[in-house]
Amino acid sequence: METVVLVHGLWMSGWVMAALRRWLTRHGFRVVLFSYPAVSADLSTNAAALDRLLERVPGERVHLVGHSLGGLVILTLLQRHAPARPGRVVLLGSPVAGCVAAVGLARWSWGRALLGRSLPQWSPGSASAALAEREVGMIAGNLGRGLGGLVTRFPGPHDGAVAVEETRVPGLADHLVLPVGHSGMLVSPTVAAGIAHFLRHGCFAPAGDDG
């Protein structure tokens, strides 16, 4: 059985990935949740903690799925120390090309405190080295409901926190846009089906095909 490690986003912990774990389990994967201090620790520290977890999980193939900031933690790991066992990666609404909502929030001191240490450390230029290590797919949302609109104006369609164009960088194996919000991705069976298809085939299924 192949193992999938789920990595949560900012202001969250592993439990928010419970619904996604249930869906992926139904698709035949063994699923492990990874929790990390998304605000208090920096990217390097969180990537190192993920690396230590990966050393312990079972499976000949170990896949990684990261939501938002969790995707940046995964890419930081791949850039610095790619895991030995093979596997694919799916990112969910991860701002790999920058995040205007975070820039808007950082205008205030309380906003910078909320953003923590990890997200501001991400450099879009870091993505290319990481994407060379694994097949990486991105699922973005375009259901623009969320608090991000209170602190910034998004450049085009967005999921309420991250713009679709902020999820695009050269080197992605595939990119899929679905009508979901930033948090709604975590409870969507359609998103879970897209993840499962990419982990098995290295691409997202055509519309209407969840196999």
Side-chain angles (χ1 to χ4, degrees):
M1 184 177 289
E2 300 175 61
T3 299
V4 179
V5 177
L6 301 180
V7 185
H8 63 82
L10 186 62
W11 308 326
M12 299 179 181
S13 61
W15 67 267
V16 304
M17 312 292 274
L20 190 54
R21 175 175 61 182
R22 183 171 65 253
W23 287 114
L24 290 176
T25 299
R26 292 180 182 179
H27 281 279
F29 295 98
R30 176 193 293 113
V31 183
V32 175
L33 302 180
F34 171 65
S35 289
Y36 65 99
V39 173
S40 62
D42 61 22
L43 273 177
S44 297
T45 300
N46 289 325
L50 175 58
D51 189 35
R52 291 192 295 272
L53 173 73
L54 294 179
E55 293 176 352
R56 304 193 303 270
V57 300
E60 293 183 3
R61 293 176 62 83
V62 179
H63 307 291
L64 296 165
V65 176
H67 176 241
S68 196
L69 175 62
L72 306 185
V73 173
I74 291 171
L75 293 184
T76 300
L77 169 64
L78 295 181
Q79 177 193 15
R80 301 185 181 193
H81 179 61
R85 284 174 289 179
R88 295 187 172 106
V89 177
V90 176
L91 309 181
L92 307 175
S94 294
V96 290
C99 185
V100 295
V103 172
L105 194 57
R107 290 179 294 176
W108 298 280
S109 58
W110 57 267
R112 291 191 293 274
L114 286 174
L115 289 173
R117 300 178 62 192
S118 283
L119 184 57
Q121 286 188 326
W122 174 252
S123 170
S126 303
S128 58
L131 294 175
E133 296 295 331
R134 287 287 190 277
E135 288 180 288
V136 180
M138 175 74 76
I139 297 179
N142 62 7
L143 187 62
R145 301 172 185 169
L147 299 179
L150 299 177
V151 297
T152 193
R153 177 173 293 181
F154 289 101
H158 59 91
D159 65 8
V162 176
V164 171
E165 90 172 36
E166 294 173 329
T167 66
R168 297 185 186 274
V169 287
L172 288 171
D174 205 351
H175 189 281
L176 176 66
V177 180
L178 293 174
V180 292
H182 196 66
S183 297
M185 296 178 183
L186 302 180
V187 295
S188 168
T190 302
V191 169
I195 293 170
H197 194 277
F198 185 91
L199 296 182
R200 290 203 166 98
H201 305 290
C203 63
F204 293 114
D209 176 11
D210 65 358

